[in-house]
Amino acid sequence: MSKHDVQCLWQVKAQLGEGPLWVAEQNRLYFVDLKNQTLHAQDVVTGARRSWAMPDYICWLIARRDGDGFMAGLRDGIARVWLEPELRIEYLHRPFPAGSGLRMNDAKVDSAGRIWAGSMHNTDYAQDIGILFRLDTDQQLHAMDRGYHICNGPAFSLDGTTMYHTDSFEGRTYAYPLAADGTLGEPRVWRQFGDGEGSPDGMTVDSEGCVWIAQWGGSRVCRYSAVGELLETIAVPVRNPASCTFGGADLKTLYITTASEDNTPEQLAAHPLTGAVFAVQVDIAGVPAGRFG
């Protein structure tokens, strides 16, 4: 089990805390409360906090290489977002037909600066209609794979040739061969999660190429080798860790977002820090989050 001291950074009581993003030049951790339609940020040096009410679900936030605002996944598509001096949103793509029930869910950037973003049905997780998209640096959007229930991740190997991607409903993480031009090979099952482990959710990769996965319902974040071997477990004092990322000056702070949804009143009472963001010091540094462009 964990030898680490997991600290509560912000008891924000998120309904669905997701998408943690470390922006080093701001000393800021950004994260979303997806269904509460709110983006949060904390300066971890000064403790200063900001929150932005969004017009709809906000599913993820990604920094741009040019520093001119951010990219964001909203309920029905992908947009450019500027937060300061005031909030401004410009949609680039709205890929879902009206009434489909689909929404964006999770996204990351590969080594070439492309965004990989998954989608899912908003309420009926048994429907396998989720799509995995690739947004190229010229802002063209491509549907790269289909048939997902709950798209989560992705994350990328250090050499950029493997993409890890999860269907949380199946409790399964896949490894895709990823070519330099952004095409995907046939996926293989990288790890099937079993009873008591929780469902694999958001993930990140460290500087040794190992994969850290938040495990919804499992009260833990785990580190796995590149071949899926369990190396380390960090116990989290809530049922539903949802995602994780590295930050801090040395990238040795693991930030963990959590969710209050999918808890009974009794479970919420037993886990008073449910919905908080946590920080834990680890021995292995992460790698900087990819930026779009």
Side-chain angles (χ1 to χ4, degrees), residues 278-293:
F278 296 93
V280 57
Q281 299 301 306
V282 295
D283 299 326
I284 306 300
V287 293
R291 299 191 177 200
F292 175 75

PDB file of all heavy atoms in Angstrom, residues 278-293:
ATOM      1  N   PHE A 278      -6.407  16.393  -4.301  1.00  0.00           N
ATOM      2  CA  PHE A 278      -5.341  15.966  -3.399  1.00  0.00           C
ATOM      3  C   PHE A 278      -3.977  16.171  -4.048  1.00  0.00           C
ATOM      4  O   PHE A 278      -3.850  16.201  -5.279  1.00  0.00           O
ATOM      5  CB  PHE A 278      -5.509  14.493  -3.027  1.00  0.00           C
ATOM      6  CG  PHE A 278      -6.759  14.210  -2.243  1.00  0.00           C
ATOM      7  CD1 PHE A 278      -7.926  13.818  -2.892  1.00  0.00           C
ATOM      8  CD2 PHE A 278      -6.774  14.339  -0.862  1.00  0.00           C
ATOM      9  CE1 PHE A 278      -9.085  13.566  -2.175  1.00  0.00           C
ATOM     10  CE2 PHE A 278      -7.930  14.089  -0.136  1.00  0.00           C
ATOM     11  CZ  PHE A 278      -9.090  13.698  -0.791  1.00  0.00           C
ATOM     12  N   ALA A 279      -2.961  16.294  -3.186  1.00  0.00           N
ATOM     13  CA  ALA A 279      -1.577  16.392  -3.640  1.00  0.00           C
ATOM     14  C   ALA A 279      -0.743  15.414  -2.832  1.00  0.00           C
ATOM     15  O   ALA A 279      -0.913  15.295  -1.616  1.00  0.00           O
ATOM     16  CB  ALA A 279      -1.051  17.811  -3.456  1.00  0.00           C
ATOM     17  N   VAL A 280       0.150  14.703  -3.513  1.00  0.00           N
ATOM     18  CA  VAL A 280       1.023  13.747  -2.837  1.00  0.00           C
ATOM     19  C   VAL A 280       2.405  13.817  -3.472  1.00  0.00           C
ATOM     20  O   VAL A 280       2.542  13.881  -4.697  1.00  0.00           O
ATOM     21  CB  VAL A 280       0.446  12.316  -2.893  1.00  0.00           C
ATOM     22  CG1 VAL A 280       0.198  11.869  -4.314  1.00  0.00           C
ATOM     23  CG2 VAL A 280       1.347  11.324  -2.176  1.00  0.00           C
ATOM     24  N   GLN A 281       3.439  13.855  -2.619  1.00  0.00           N
ATOM     25  CA  GLN A 281       4.812  13.860  -3.117  1.00  0.00           C
ATOM     26  C   GLN A 281       5.232  12.433  -3.465  1.00  0.00           C
ATOM     27  O   GLN A 281       5.011  11.506  -2.676  1.00  0.00           O
ATOM     28  CB  GLN A 281       5.759  14.439  -2.063  1.00  0.00           C
ATOM     29  CG  GLN A 281       5.456  15.881  -1.685  1.00  0.00           C
ATOM     30  CD  GLN A 281       5.532  16.822  -2.867  1.00  0.00           C
ATOM     31  OE1 GLN A 281       6.542  16.860  -3.573  1.00  0.00           O
ATOM     32  NE2 GLN A 281       4.461  17.565  -3.105  1.00  0.00           N
ATOM     33  N   VAL A 282       5.821  12.268  -4.640  1.00  0.00           N
ATOM     34  CA  VAL A 282       6.263  10.948  -5.093  1.00  0.00           C
ATOM     35  C   VAL A 282       7.749  11.008  -5.429  1.00  0.00           C
ATOM     36  O   VAL A 282       8.345  12.084  -5.508  1.00  0.00           O
ATOM     37  CB  VAL A 282       5.432  10.465  -6.308  1.00  0.00           C
ATOM     38  CG1 VAL A 282       3.982  10.254  -5.896  1.00  0.00           C
ATOM     39  CG2 VAL A 282       5.513  11.442  -7.465  1.00  0.00           C
ATOM     40  N   ASP A 283       8.338   9.851  -5.611  1.00  0.00           N
ATOM     41  CA  ASP A 283       9.782   9.769  -5.814  1.00  0.00           C
ATOM     42  C   ASP A 283      10.201   9.978  -7.263  1.00  0.00           C
ATOM     43  O   ASP A 283      11.349  10.336  -7.534  1.00  0.00           O
ATOM     44  CB  ASP A 283      10.294   8.402  -5.341  1.00  0.00           C
ATOM     45  CG  ASP A 283      10.041   8.168  -3.861  1.00  0.00           C
ATOM     46  OD1 ASP A 283      10.095   9.151  -3.102  1.00  0.00           O
ATOM     47  OD2 ASP A 283       9.781   7.012  -3.479  1.00  0.00           O
ATOM     48  N   ILE A 284       9.295   9.718  -8.184  1.00  0.00           N
ATOM     49  CA  ILE A 284       9.604   9.777  -9.607  1.00  0.00           C
ATOM     50  C   ILE A 284       8.938  11.004 -10.214  1.00  0.00           C
ATOM     51  O   ILE A 284       7.751  11.245  -9.989  1.00  0.00           O
ATOM     52  CB  ILE A 284       9.097   8.507 -10.335  1.00  0.00           C
ATOM     53  CG1 ILE A 284       9.647   7.247  -9.661  1.00  0.00           C
ATOM     54  CG2 ILE A 284       9.472   8.552 -11.810  1.00  0.00           C
ATOM     55  CD1 ILE A 284      11.160   7.160  -9.634  1.00  0.00           C
ATOM     56  N   ALA A 285       9.675  11.784 -10.982  1.00  0.00           N
ATOM     57  CA  ALA A 285       9.103  12.969 -11.619  1.00  0.00           C
ATOM     58  C   ALA A 285       8.204  12.565 -12.777  1.00  0.00           C
ATOM     59  O   ALA A 285       8.391  11.513 -13.414  1.00  0.00           O
ATOM     60  CB  ALA A 285      10.221  13.874 -12.131  1.00  0.00           C
ATOM     61  N   GLY A 286       7.236  13.401 -13.028  1.00  0.00           N
ATOM     62  CA  GLY A 286       6.431  13.252 -14.232  1.00  0.00           C
ATOM     63  C   GLY A 286       7.116  13.891 -15.426  1.00  0.00           C
ATOM     64  O   GLY A 286       8.304  14.231 -15.380  1.00  0.00           O
ATOM     65  N   VAL A 287       6.369  14.050 -16.486  1.00  0.00           N
ATOM     66  CA  VAL A 287       6.851  14.781 -17.659  1.00  0.00           C
ATOM     67  C   VAL A 287       5.851  15.926 -17.903  1.00  0.00           C
ATOM     68  O   VAL A 287       4.673  15.810 -17.574  1.00  0.00           O
ATOM     69  CB  VAL A 287       6.961  13.886 -18.906  1.00  0.00           C
ATOM     70  CG1 VAL A 287       8.062  12.858 -18.702  1.00  0.00           C
ATOM     71  CG2 VAL A 287       5.652  13.178 -19.200  1.00  0.00           C
ATOM     72  N   PRO A 288       6.320  17.037 -18.472  1.00  0.00           N
ATOM     73  CA  PRO A 288       5.399  18.153 -18.702  1.00  0.00           C
ATOM     74  C   PRO A 288       4.249  17.729 -19.624  1.00  0.00           C
ATOM     75  O   PRO A 288       4.425  16.955 -20.564  1.00  0.00           O
ATOM     76  CB  PRO A 288       6.279  19.207 -19.378  1.00  0.00           C
ATOM     77  CG  PRO A 288       7.678  18.858 -18.973  1.00  0.00           C
ATOM     78  CD  PRO A 288       7.704  17.365 -18.872  1.00  0.00           C
ATOM     79  N   ALA A 289       3.071  18.257 -19.320  1.00  0.00           N
ATOM     80  CA  ALA A 289       1.916  17.961 -20.164  1.00  0.00           C
ATOM     81  C   ALA A 289       2.136  18.506 -21.570  1.00  0.00           C
ATOM     82  O   ALA A 289       2.692  19.581 -21.755  1.00  0.00           O
ATOM     83  CB  ALA A 289       0.656  18.591 -19.563  1.00  0.00           C
ATOM     84  N   GLY A 290       1.706  17.736 -22.556  1.00  0.00           N
ATOM     85  CA  GLY A 290       1.803  18.194 -23.929  1.00  0.00           C
ATOM     86  C   GLY A 290       0.960  19.428 -24.176  1.00  0.00           C
ATOM     87  O   GLY A 290      -0.068  19.631 -23.512  1.00  0.00           O
ATOM     88  N   ARG A 291       1.389  20.254 -25.127  1.00  0.00           N
ATOM     89  CA  ARG A 291       0.649  21.463 -25.473  1.00  0.00           C
ATOM     90  C   ARG A 291       0.250  21.408 -26.952  1.00  0.00           C
ATOM     91  O   ARG A 291       0.999  20.911 -27.784  1.00  0.00           O
ATOM     92  CB  ARG A 291       1.480  22.712 -25.175  1.00  0.00           C
ATOM     93  CG  ARG A 291       1.824  22.818 -23.693  1.00  0.00           C
ATOM     94  CD  ARG A 291       2.404  24.144 -23.312  1.00  0.00           C
ATOM     95  NE  ARG A 291       2.634  24.195 -21.858  1.00  0.00           N
ATOM     96  CZ  ARG A 291       2.760  25.309 -21.170  1.00  0.00           C
ATOM     97  NH1 ARG A 291       2.672  26.484 -21.778  1.00  0.00           N
ATOM     98  NH2 ARG A 291       2.956  25.269 -19.854  1.00  0.00           N
ATOM     99  N   PHE A 292      -0.907  21.951 -27.223  1.00  0.00           N
ATOM    100  CA  PHE A 292      -1.444  21.880 -28.572  1.00  0.00           C
ATOM    101  C   PHE A 292      -0.748  22.878 -29.493  1.00  0.00           C
ATOM    102  O   PHE A 292      -0.515  24.022 -29.121  1.00  0.00           O
ATOM    103  CB  PHE A 292      -2.949  22.177 -28.559  1.00  0.00           C
ATOM    104  CG  PHE A 292      -3.547  22.250 -29.931  1.00  0.00           C
ATOM    105  CD1 PHE A 292      -3.766  21.094 -30.671  1.00  0.00           C
ATOM    106  CD2 PHE A 292      -3.899  23.472 -30.494  1.00  0.00           C
ATOM    107  CE1 PHE A 292      -4.306  21.151 -31.936  1.00  0.00           C
ATOM    108  CE2 PHE A 292      -4.448  23.535 -31.766  1.00  0.00           C
ATOM    109  CZ  PHE A 292      -4.653  22.372 -32.490  1.00  0.00           C
ATOM    110  N   GLY A 293      -0.449  22.408 -30.705  1.00  0.00           N
ATOM    111  CA  GLY A 293       0.090  23.306 -31.727  1.00  0.00           C
ATOM    112  C   GLY A 293       1.439  22.866 -32.223  1.00  0.00           C
ATOM    113  O   GLY A 293       2.094  22.016 -31.654  1.00  0.00           O
TER     114      GLY A 293
END
